Amino acid sequence: MDEREHNSGPMPSEGQPPSDGEKADPAIPAEASAAPPSEPVAAKLAENEPVALDAAPPPAPTVLEEIERAPVSPRIRLDKKHPLAIRWMHWINFPVLFTMIWSGLLIYWNDSDNAYKHPHAVYRIGVGPFTLVRFFPPWFWKAMNAPYHVTQGLGYHFFFMWLFAINGILYVLFTVFSGEWRFVVPDRKSLKEAIQVTLKDLHLTKYLPAQTKYNGAQKIAYTSVILMGAGSLITGLAIYKPTQAHWVTTLLGGYEMARWEHFLLTMGFCGFFLIHVTQVVLAGWNNFRSMISGLEVKPVQEPSLEAERKSWG
């Protein structure tokens, strides 16, 4: 018998496992031998084409990755504090008011200089011939080069007077028609809040009342400045045109009294300017930036000014 016929035994049927006497090919994994590849995979293997295997499942995220993927709640937000019109009028008013005060002092030098016993030397505090304080001492006028610049002061004063008046009127009209007056005009709580804010600024207490755009002290101060601006225009008119506006001059107590009132209002503006700048510095960059960009960085839990504006209807 042929040796090939002697060695050839019955072939196992397809799909049947080898008998106990037969050994599986060690090069073929048990899984592969137990489950033959599907027809498409077998065809690819026969043609030596790459076969895409199932991707391994992604590893479980670590604790740090879980923390990084966790949602983050915002703690701050941008809130619209100052409209564009208010910012423009604020920054226009600053150099205009400064020029008005400077030129006004050049004019007032005539009445402060007592070298020739000027009959209108009224800018002093005293009784009868005794003078306690004069506004201002000689060194002050020399420092600002005021002597003999009266005509220059008159030219600047009367020109910038119109800019000051127009800017102030536009500001009042805008706050009225836009509803921003609700943030500025004091209410029944403003006086109490102003006292509390003052005590906090003096480090006599740590309590600070809640506020929206302005606190009680700011409302009183800003409203007072608006009234002071109107007062400066009225008293200035009484001084500039005492004959044509004689009824205004009379209501103010006469020409000399109108001059005093105009001067005291000017000193009030100077005092407000010093306090205002100091408070802005103490409040920090966020407050100053809001007058430039109009936006303020606020904690999320604080009330929104824009939402309050929308509630006005």
Side-chain angles (χ1 to χ4, degrees):
M1 183 181 291
D2 192 352
E3 184 178 358
R4 289 176 296 179
E5 295 179 359
H6 177 76
N7 293 334
S8 63
M11 297 297 291
S13 61
E14 185 177 357
Q16 293 181 354
S19 62
D20 295 340
E22 296 176 351
K23 295 182 180 180
D25 191 350
I28 301 176
E31 294 81 2
S33 62
S38 60
E39 294 182 0
V41 174
K44 289 185 177 182
L45 291 174
E47 297 176 3
N48 294 327
E49 293 183 5
V51 179
L53 302 178
D54 294 338
T62 63
V63 177
L64 181 58
E65 290 175 342
E66 289 289 347
I67 296 176
E68 292 177 350
R69 294 177 183 177
V72 179
S73 301
R75 293 178 295 176
I76 59 174
R77 58 180 168 80
L78 290 176
D79 198 19
K80 184 178 179 180
K81 186 174 184 180
H82 300 294
L84 179 62
I86 288 182
R87 283 179 278 145
W88 268 101
M89 288 181 281
H90 173 273
W91 291 113
I92 289 174
N93 197 56
F94 173 73
V96 170
L97 183 58
F98 177 83
T99 305
M100 290 288 292
I101 294 174
W102 166 75
S103 59
L105 289 175
L106 297 183
I107 300 170
Y108 292 154
W109 171 81
N110 280 353
D111 295 313
S112 181
D113 184 20
N114 203 29
Y116 302 101
K117 303 296 179 181
H118 197 285
H120 300 296
V122 295
Y123 304 112
R124 71 183 185 94
I125 297 177
V127 178
F130 175 74
T131 300
L132 179 63
V133 178
R134 289 194 61 83
F135 299 106
F136 294 92
W139 64 265
F140 175 83
W141 300 116
K142 292 180 180 179
M144 64 175 301
N145 194 26
Y148 307 107
H149 287 82
V150 180
T151 55
Q152 180 185 8
L154 288 170
Y156 277 99
H157 207 70
F158 294 150
F159 175 78
F160 281 90
M161 170 192 69
W162 294 106
L163 298 180
F164 179 75
I166 294 172
N167 192 61
I169 293 172
L170 291 177
Y171 175 82
V172 173
L173 292 177
F174 177 82
T175 54
V176 170
F177 289 105
S178 66
E180 290 289 316
W181 63 268
R182 294 178 175 88
F183 290 128
V184 181
V185 176
D187 52 30
R188 59 183 180 179
K189 301 178 183 178
S190 297
L191 181 58
K192 180 180 178 180
E193 292 179 356
I195 296 174
Q196 294 170 339
V197 171
T198 303
L199 294 176
K200 175 66 169 58
D201 291 341
L202 296 176
H203 301 284
L204 299 177
T205 181
K206 295 182 179 180
Y207 174 75
L208 188 64
Q211 69 177 65
T212 53
K213 185 176 182 179
Y214 301 124
N215 56 47
Q218 290 173 314
K219 289 181 178 180
I220 294 175
Y222 297 154
T223 303
S224 300
V225 168
I226 296 174
L227 297 177
M228 288 167 55
S232 296
L233 292 174
I234 295 173
T235 54
L237 176 63
I239 298 172
Y240 179 47
K241 298 290 185 180
T243 303
Q244 293 86 339
H246 61 88
W247 59 275
V248 178
T249 308
T250 303
L251 290 176
L252 294 175
Y255 181 76
E256 294 296 340
M257 184 59 65
R259 290 161 61 89
W260 251 115
E261 292 162 355
H262 195 70
F263 179 78
L264 291 177
L265 288 170
T266 303
M267 294 300 101
F269 275 115
C270 293
F272 169 80
F273 175 77
L274 294 176
I275 297 175
H276 182 63
V277 172
T278 302
Q279 292 291 347
V280 169
V281 173
L282 294 176
W285 171 249
N286 188 35
N287 183 61
F288 179 79
R289 178 176 50 200
S290 65
M291 187 52 75
I292 299 176
S293 65
L295 301 175
E296 182 181 28
V297 179
K298 297 178 64 175
V300 175
Q301 64 271 17
E302 291 191 7
S304 172
L305 297 178
E306 193 63 21
E308 184 173 349
R309 290 186 180 99
K310 293 179 181 179
S311 66
W312 298 340

